[in-house]
């Protein structure tokens, strides 16, 4: 469990490294792990270990790592250049905001359509279609859908999850405050805003 | 660094425990850590350790823990019954969705108002006011604001963060894809949707 979490934590740090490196002045040739660690408020050893995992060979570290190869390695690891198609279920405010969020397209996630038991509109402000959830199965059969995004209330989340799994979707991105049970071979990534809030408040209290 | 992350992970597990326990049949007297671990797909040892940290004394574990006292202890630890006031900067789709998200009120977060350099509307669909960001400082002076929520594009995030810190806000909840630098005494909790997406995709690939 803890191993898995640390590995998830690494995956959350990598985009920060990538952003930092890309924002360096254009004529920068080498990236100093020490400077990057300091700028990002992270531990020096941690950053070095992370870069060694992604970019291999740690021998040159005194000189820093070549900027361009580091960008290439991290991008390849995160697969930011690959496009993944998704459907989203739940067309409330959060669901529609996610469907129209431009950051996902930049990160290679293309949300093809939204589904809802009772669509409030035929499409989002950004022009993404919202269909009846009855059409989910046929839609998934006729499109290559890798990820199902859940943005429904907690009470409906497991039912929606089961439907997505039945459509042979192997990755569930869960924005409902509900723990989901899935069969082996399906991965769930959950965003728990209430949990993050608790984490923030407790850190503030202990600070 | 890793210690801190594990502790954040604990904070993310606690709301799941609370949700599971609250959903148990009404006549349940004791909570079995083993059953809960199984239901949530977590390790038995991990769950036991977590509960011992929150609820103390581990001696009764063969009989399970009293349901009501566990609910009380976890709720107290997460401070779900305390209300914290917040302001939000950025009134795009995500910002407005967050302002109207009912789950926050249930978790004790009250978003008083939104601010934007160029408000698209005087209020959200849910009736929360959106003011010019010029009014942020005076608003914070006349209200008890503990948390500042950032929902602006990456390019503006640090500037907005600085403004919130200047308003003496000690907790920043960052929804922009940008690493923020803050002075000592200020806590940042960042949500990185793109990073979560990468985590999901890489897990799917390795599955």
């Amino acid at each position: 469990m803890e191993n898995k979490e640390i590995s998830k934590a690494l995956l959350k740090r990598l985009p920060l490294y990538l952003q930092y490196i890309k924002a360096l002045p254009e004529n920068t040739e080498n990236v100093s792990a020490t400077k990057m660690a300091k700028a990002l408020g992270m531990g020096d050893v941690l950053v070095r270990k992370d870069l060694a995992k992604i970019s291999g060979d740690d021998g040159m570290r005194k000189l820093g790592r070549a900027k361009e190869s580091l960008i290439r390695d991290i991008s390849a690891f995160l697969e930011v250049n690959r496009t993944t198609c998704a459907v989203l279920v739940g067309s409330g405010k959060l669901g529609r905001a996610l469907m129209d969020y431009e950051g996902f397209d930049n990160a290679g996630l293309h949300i093809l359509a939204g589904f809802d038991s009772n669509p409030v509109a035929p499409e989002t402000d950004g022009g993404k279609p919202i269909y009846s959830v009855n059409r989910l199965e046929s839609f998934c059969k006729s499109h290559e859908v890798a990820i199902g995004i859940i943005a429904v209330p907690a009470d409906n989340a497991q039912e929606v999850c089961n439907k997505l799994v039945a459509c042979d979707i192997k990755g569930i991105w869960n924005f409902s405050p509900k723990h989901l049970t899935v069969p082996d071979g399906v991965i769930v990534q959950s965003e728990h805003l209430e949990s993050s809030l608790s984490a923030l408040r407790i850190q503030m209290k202990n600070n």
Side-chain angles (χ1 to χ4, degrees), chain A:
Chain A
M1 188 68 198
E2 282 176 12
N3 245 332
K4 202 171 148 198
E5 279 170 2
I6 287 168
S7 149
K8 274 196 184 179
L10 167 63
L11 292 174
K12 294 207 164 195
R13 290 192 293 270
L14 289 175
L16 296 177
Y17 299 160
L18 192 57
Q19 189 188 47
Y20 168 86
I21 296 165
K22 281 185 172 175
L24 288 171
E26 209 169 318
N27 60 359
T28 310
E29 283 187 12
N30 289 306
V31 177
S32 152
T34 306
K35 278 188 194 166
M36 181 160 81
K38 207 172 168 186
L40 297 177
M42 295 177 187
D44 195 35
V45 175
L46 182 78
V47 172
R48 284 184 196 289
K49 276 188 189 167
D50 285 351
L51 295 186
K53 272 180 207 159
I54 303 310
S55 208
D57 172 41
D58 206 12
M60 297 288 281
R61 66 182 181 187
K62 277 184 188 164
L63 296 169
R65 286 160 180 279
K67 180 179 139 192
E68 291 309 322
S69 76
L70 209 44
I71 291 177
R72 200 176 51 235
D73 290 345
I74 298 177
S75 299
F77 193 86
L78 293 176
E79 305 204 347
V80 290
N81 301 321
R82 192 164 64 90
T83 297
T84 307
C85 290
V87 292
L88 182 146
V89 184
S91 69
K93 286 197 194 78
L94 180 63
R96 282 176 290 143
L98 292 171
M99 284 174 75
D100 285 342
Y101 180 51
E102 287 168 4
F104 290 151
D105 279 316
N106 297 335
L109 181 77
H110 188 39
I111 304 180
L112 300 173
F115 294 86
D116 201 296
S117 54
N118 188 14
V120 293
E123 59 179 40
T124 64
D125 292 346
K128 293 264 173 90
I130 307 172
Y131 302 122
S132 161
V133 77
N134 296 332
R135 291 179 59 181
L136 180 63
E137 198 184 335
S138 62
F139 187 92
C140 290
K141 273 188 188 157
S142 56
H143 295 78
E144 286 258 358
V145 179
I147 291 175
I149 303 171
I150 296 179
V152 298
D155 288 349
N156 308 115
Q158 184 65 55
E159 187 196 337
V160 164
C161 178
N162 296 347
K163 278 186 187 159
L164 291 166
V165 170
C167 291
D168 208 30
I169 286 173
K170 300 297 185 199
I172 303 290
W173 200 3
N174 175 31
F175 286 83
S176 81
K178 167 86 183 165
H179 177 83
L180 298 174
T181 307
V182 292
D184 285 347
V186 178
I187 303 288
V188 177
Q189 170 82 24
S190 286
E191 309 303 318
H192 289 287
L193 293 184
E194 288 90 341
S195 307
S196 294
L197 173 63
S198 294
L200 174 60
R201 292 208 290 199
I202 290 171
Q203 286 175 83
M204 285 168 70
K205 192 180 156 195
N206 295 338
N207 197 33

